[in-house]
């Protein structure tokens, strides 16, 4: 098939274009989206070959050209995984784990979901992955969601405590369909929002106020909650973690409904902070303060006794790392500010 006077595309590749635009450009309509992609690919081929000799005078669009246009329009990484990207995907756990302490199981689950998504083996009719992060305050639920979005490429935050409307995040997903969508404090959602979320988890889409069908099949959905907090606080390391998971799942079903919970791929229970993770977080926060001071051309050095002192405080499991942040603010940041 000739596209213009001197660019051609095979019938087989036309059908492939229809399939690819159907999978990755669901927020746009046929036949326009397929035609636009072919037209853009033709222009790209002409630009690429404008200075080269072509004795036949006819240029051919390849599948690589089509994939490049779709990837550029949607920000969805497609095509073969490069060597550098492969190394980056292999080191996801370490990179995220350096920022989220004491939650290796959660870090591993999210990293695996990102790799599955990039490999293209996620289910086509639902979000690429969906998680319910449950745990006490200050253990890294929102922090892990943030770093997952950073690694995935884009993050859309929905703070239900602030009464975020349905259409506000729908519009963002319409514009950036390849995103980690984080619903913070999901227990604050009203029944209508839970219904919308249930549709997204089950069907991979929802409708906005104008009746537009918004596609969520290229998103990763992360919901955070404190539901089950008492059970986690009362949990001892000597107890059976499988039993805790069942208890938390039952509590989530009682709160959100069994149908809603059944649509979630995985419920991840965040650990209470132990002395080791508490120490690691203290070191990380102090390093961050040191880094921020360097921007002001001020060097701060902490010896081991400072870290030992901060991390030796009794852990308040109801506040987690927030307790550490408050302690560092009161006993280090304020005196340093006064010295400056």
């Amino acid at each position: 098939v000739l596209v213009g006077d001197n660019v051609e595309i095979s019938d087989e590749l036309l059908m492939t274009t229809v399939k690819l635009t159907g999978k990755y450009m669901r927020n746009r309509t046929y036949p326009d989206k397929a035609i636009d992609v072919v037209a853009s690919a033709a222009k790209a081929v002409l630009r690429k070959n404008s200075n080269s000799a072509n004795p036949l005078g006819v240029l051919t669009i390849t599948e690589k050209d089509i994939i490049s246009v779709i990837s550029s329009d949607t920000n969805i990484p497609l095509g073969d995984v490069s060597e550098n990207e492969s190394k980056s995907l292999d080191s996801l756990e370490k990179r995220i784990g350096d920022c989220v302490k004491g939650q290796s199981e959660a870090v591993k689950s999210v990293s695996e979901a990102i790799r599955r998504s990039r490999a293209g083996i996620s289910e086509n009719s639902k979000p690429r992955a969906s998680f319910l992060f449950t745990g006490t305050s200050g253990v890294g639920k929102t922090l892990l969601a943030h770093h997952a979005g950073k690694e995935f490429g884009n993050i859309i935050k929905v703070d239900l405590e602030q009464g975020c409307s349905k259409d506000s995040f729908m519009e963002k997903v319409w514009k950036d369909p390849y995103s980690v969508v984080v619903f913070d404090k999901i227990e604050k959602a009203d029944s209508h929002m839970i219904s919308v979320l249930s549709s997204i988890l089950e069907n991979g889409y929802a409708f906005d106020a104008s009746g537009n069908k918004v596609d969520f099949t290229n998103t990763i959905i992360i919901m955070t909650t404190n539901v089950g907090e008492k059970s986690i606080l009362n949990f001892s390391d000597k107890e059976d973690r499988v039993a805790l998971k069942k208890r938390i799942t039952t509590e989530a079903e009682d709160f959100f409904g069994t149908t809603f919970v059944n649509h979630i791929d995985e419920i991840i229970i965040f650990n209470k902070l132990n002395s080791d993770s508490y120490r690691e977080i203290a070191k990380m926060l102090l390093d961050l303060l040191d880094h921020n001071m360097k921007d002001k051309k001020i060097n701060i050095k902490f010896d081991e006794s400072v870290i030992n002192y901060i991390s030796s405080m009794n852990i308040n499991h109801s506040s987690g790392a927030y307790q550490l942040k408050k302690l560092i603010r009161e006993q280090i940041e304020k005196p340093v500010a006064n010295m400056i």
Side-chain angles (χ1 to χ4, degrees):
V1 177
L2 280 174
V3 183
D5 295 330
N6 55 350
V7 180
E8 66 178 9
I9 183 171
S10 68
D11 291 344
E12 182 181 1
L13 186 52
L14 274 177
M15 294 305 299
T16 299
T17 303
V18 171
K19 291 178 181 178
L20 289 172
T21 53
K23 182 176 182 179
Y24 297 111
M25 304 176 78
R26 300 191 187 203
N27 290 337
R28 294 171 59 182
T29 57
Y30 283 126
D32 292 359
K33 59 185 178 184
I35 293 172
D36 290 346
V37 166
V38 171
S40 295
K43 290 177 183 177
V45 168
L46 285 170
R47 283 196 303 271
K48 188 167 54 178
N49 293 274
S50 59
N51 297 321
S52 63
N54 191 329
L56 298 178
V58 177
L59 302 170
T60 302
I61 297 173
T62 66
E63 184 172 350
K64 188 176 180 180
D65 297 321
I66 295 295
I67 286 174
S68 177
V69 170
I70 294 174
S71 185
S72 177
D73 283 356
T74 61
N75 292 322
I76 300 174
L78 301 172
D80 296 333
V81 179
S82 67
E83 184 176 350
N84 286 339
E85 188 182 5
S86 178
K87 290 179 180 177
S88 177
L89 289 168
D90 282 344
S91 60
L92 268 176
E93 279 93 344
K94 183 182 184 311
R95 219 161 39 249
I96 299 176
D98 285 343
C99 303
V100 183
K101 303 296 184 180
Q103 308 297 345
S104 57
E105 179 187 346
V107 169
K108 181 180 179 183
S109 292
V110 170
S111 299
E112 287 175 345
I114 293 173
R115 279 194 289 268
R116 284 198 310 273
S117 174
R118 183 60 185 92
I121 59 175
S122 304
E123 193 170 343
N124 292 333
S125 61
K126 294 181 179 181
R128 298 194 173 199
S130 59
F131 298 101
L132 180 66
F133 288 176
T134 179
T136 58
S137 295
V139 291
K141 301 189 297 295
T142 304
L143 184 63
L144 176 53
H146 168 78
H147 284 286
K150 186 177 176 182
E151 294 289 348
F152 199 64
N154 189 53
I155 184 169
I156 296 171
K157 296 180 181 178
V158 186
D159 192 341
L160 297 164
E161 194 171 33
Q162 299 298 321
C164 181
S165 69
K166 177 185 75 170
D167 284 340
S168 64
F169 77 82
M170 288 279 197
E171 183 180 357
K172 291 175 182 177
V173 174
W174 180 277
K175 292 177 181 177
D176 291 297
Y178 190 76
S179 300
V180 171
V181 187
V182 183
F183 295 89
D184 215 9
K185 299 178 177 66
I186 188 68
E187 68 272 13
K188 304 291 184 182
D190 58 26
S191 58
H192 177 64
M193 182 64 80
I194 292 294
S195 177
V196 170
L197 269 170
S198 188
S199 173
I200 291 169
L201 295 173
E202 181 181 12
N203 305 311
Y205 64 84
F207 293 95
D208 64 16
S210 302
N212 298 311
K213 186 178 179 180
V214 182
D215 175 49
F216 282 79
T217 58
N218 291 302
T219 65
I220 288 178
I221 304 293
I222 294 177
M223 298 163 284
T224 73
T225 184
N226 287 340
V227 169
E229 181 177 27
K230 288 184 179 179
S231 294
I232 295 170
L233 285 172
N234 295 328
F235 177 74
S236 165
D237 291 338
K238 297 178 181 179
E239 294 180 68
D240 182 5
R241 193 168 177 82
V242 174
L244 175 65
K245 185 81 172 272
K246 288 181 179 178
R247 189 156 64 245
I248 297 296
T249 301
T250 300
E251 291 183 41
E253 289 174 346
D254 291 341
F255 193 95
F256 299 109
T258 302
T259 301
F260 179 79
V261 172
N262 284 343
H263 292 323
I264 300 169
D265 290 339
E266 187 174 358
I267 295 176
I268 296 180
I269 300 171
F270 278 61
N271 303 318
K272 291 185 294 187
L273 299 182
N274 58 30
S275 57
D276 290 337
S277 54
Y278 211 59
R279 182 182 178 83
E280 287 179 344
I281 293 170
K283 176 73 164 57
M284 184 174 66
L285 292 173
L286 291 172
D287 286 342
L288 179 61
L289 176 60
D290 181 32
H291 175 77
N292 290 339
M293 288 296 100
K294 279 184 170 60
D295 291 340
K296 301 179 184 294
K297 302 189 185 310
I298 296 171
N299 290 320
I300 295 181
K301 299 298 180 185
F302 304 99
D303 65 30
E304 200 70 15
S305 65
V306 177
I307 300 169
N308 290 339
Y309 167 70
I310 293 174
S311 58
S312 67
M313 305 293 287
N314 289 328
I315 302 173
N316 181 348
H317 290 295
S318 295
S319 60
Y322 294 123
Q323 178 190 9
L324 275 175
K325 290 179 180 178
K326 183 177 180 180
L327 181 68
I328 290 172
R329 184 172 63 248
E330 293 294 328
Q331 298 200 24
I332 298 179
E333 290 181 6
K334 284 185 178 181
V336 167
N338 290 334
M339 292 169 69
I340 293 171

